[in-house]
Amino acid sequence: MASAASQATASTWSASAIGATRLAGTPWRHCPVVRGVYISAVHLGARLAKAGVSAHLLTLTSLVFAAAAAVAVTQGWFQVSAVLLIASGACDLLDGIVARAGATAGPFGALLDSTVDRIADGLPLLGLVVVYTGTGPAAAVPAAAMIGVFSVSYVRARAEALDISLPPLFMRRPERVVLLVVALLLGNVEFTWLPILAPVTLAVVAGIGAASLWAAVVTLRLARHACERRAE
């Protein structure tokens, strides 16, 4: 009994330590709910790895859910799309945990994960572009958000490839997914005085795009300062 209790305590400590490390420097580090979710994900990921679940399978499953979310939003099923996007994000969270727990993490897995993440970022926004096509300039909002999302992701990835150390900052993928889920959940909110489909969704998506572009600019400035310090 004592041995089992010690193992359980060690397992909890390990999961807590991993959670604290992965969330360090992010806006979520002081949120007990997020920390609890991540610790639970670490435990679940360890069980999945022990059961032989492939991290690559989880990565590709996240892409399938993202594609399904895009299809759902084109049909006007905003809440269904939000649930599918949550499922996609959950698979994306678990694939890295499973890879590390199963000692299968490697360069190809990281490349596959990053590639799928970019596609999964764009698919729901592409679905919204389809939704707003034919309604005038509104379609430009999700299209611009897609550019912003890709910009901040590319800047960070390129900086890391150049071995430029950057802080986590804001508008990384978890924040974008959460905000997009919120936007989709509010898709059925309408205002009689505003003849625009899902105006709250459109407003939140506009905010995602603007914040992502600003994050890209901030990241570029920090990268420039890092390069200048390196050159001194």
Side-chain angles (χ1 to χ4, degrees):
M1 292 294 290
S3 176
S6 298
Q7 290 178 358
T9 301
S11 175
T12 302
W13 179 88
S14 176
S16 300
I18 293 171
T21 301
R22 299 292 292 179
L23 295 174
T26 70
W28 312 101
R29 65 187 182 279
H30 297 307
C31 179
V33 174
V34 174
R35 288 173 65 90
V37 168
Y38 198 91
I39 290 170
S40 298
V42 171
H43 287 302
L44 176 58
R47 292 190 182 96
L48 292 174
K50 187 176 293 186
V53 175
S54 166
H56 293 350
L57 176 61
L58 287 170
T59 299
L60 295 175
T61 301
S62 74
L63 179 60
V64 172
F65 278 126
V71 173
V73 80
T74 62
Q75 303 302 309
W77 304 335
F78 291 97
Q79 282 73 28
V80 173
S81 180
V83 172
L84 291 168
L85 191 57
I86 291 171
S88 175
C91 290
D92 180 51
L93 172 63
L94 287 169
D95 60 2
I97 295 173
V98 168
R100 289 187 293 272
T104 59
F108 176 72
L111 176 62
L112 178 65
D113 182 51
S114 296
T115 303
V116 167
D117 282 352
R118 299 296 76 76
I119 298 172
D121 279 340
L123 283 173
L125 293 171
L126 180 60
L128 287 170
V129 171
V130 173
V131 168
Y132 288 103
T133 296
T135 62
V141 173
M146 198 184 308
I147 294 172
V149 166
F150 288 161
S151 295
V152 68
S153 297
Y154 178 79
V155 170
R156 292 199 65 88
R158 186 60 178 155
E160 290 172 2
L162 294 172
D163 197 27
I164 299 173
S165 179
L166 294 171
L169 295 176
F170 56 98
M171 289 311 290
R172 301 190 72 175
R173 190 157 197 268
E175 294 96 273
R176 298 196 303 265
V177 170
V178 169
L179 288 173
L180 188 53
V181 166
V182 171
L184 293 170
L185 288 174
L186 297 173
N188 289 339
V189 176
E190 301 285 352
F191 300 104
T192 56
W193 50 270
L194 195 59
I196 299 176
L197 175 66
V200 179
T201 296
L202 196 63
V204 176
V205 169
I208 293 172
S212 296
L213 285 171
W214 177 243
V217 171
V218 172
T219 303
L220 280 171
R221 292 180 61 185
L222 290 174
R224 178 184 177 182
H225 293 326
C227 289
E228 290 173 347
R229 287 195 300 270
R230 181 185 297 178
E232 292 175 354

